[in-house]
Amino acid sequence: MSRSVDLGFRPPQQARSRESLRKVLAAAEHVLAGQGFEEFTVAAVAERAGMSVGAIYRRFDGKNQLLYAVKDELLGRLETGVRDALGSAEPGLGGVVGAFTQGLAGTFARHDRIFSELLDGQRAEGRDRGLQALATIQRDFVEAARPCFGEVRRPDAERAIRMMSRTVIGSCVHRAASGRFWPDGLSWDVWASETTEMALAYLVSGGSSESA
């Protein structure tokens, strides 16, 4: 499936149109962060972007398609952030796991409020894109960690790495979605550091060889 079909609109080809789209998405992020999902409207985005409502409707069918584009943009940043962090990780299992959690935390910290609103108001049509992003960052982590499998002391290193990555990703997403209502009092940096310690403790301890 092409990206244009995934997004529900045709990505602009001209530089001026691409800049206009970036302006709309930046305005949409600002409105979503400041007013929340329930108060998010095309009119509010248009006002923030300094554009007419009609100009936005010429590109998007409405609020839901615009929200989907914002979500796609943010998930793309999440994928890129994790990939870049893994690419500059220190050697060894601790370096790779630390880079993974910091890459996740860094993106969520920069867009904390927006992720929480998007997760809170998630619609079925956007769920597949979210699952695609989660699968991508898990795959990138497993591949980055593969040279370190010898440091994993559990019976099945790859299974343990996948289990750990899924748990860390789930914890990160849950924290973003519930943090406003159930705060843990930690910064994202501290969360990443402590999560790294827990993940490494699991990987370097012995464990059961039972299959899933």
Side-chain angles (χ1 to χ4, degrees), residues 119-155:
L119 291 167
D120 228 14
Q122 179 170 265
R123 297 294 187 265
E125 63 268 20
R127 194 168 295 126
D128 286 348
R129 177 64 182 96
L131 293 174
Q132 177 189 30
L134 300 184
T136 296
I137 60 181
Q138 182 186 52
R139 182 199 65 215
D140 289 345
F141 171 68
V142 171
E143 290 309 307
R146 197 171 294 281
C148 311
F149 278 9
E151 298 179 50
V152 178
R153 295 183 58 191
R154 302 189 76 82

Side-chain angles (χ1 to χ4, degrees), residues 23-34:
K23 187 176 181 181
V24 170
L25 293 180
E29 289 181 29
H30 186 275
V31 172
L32 191 61

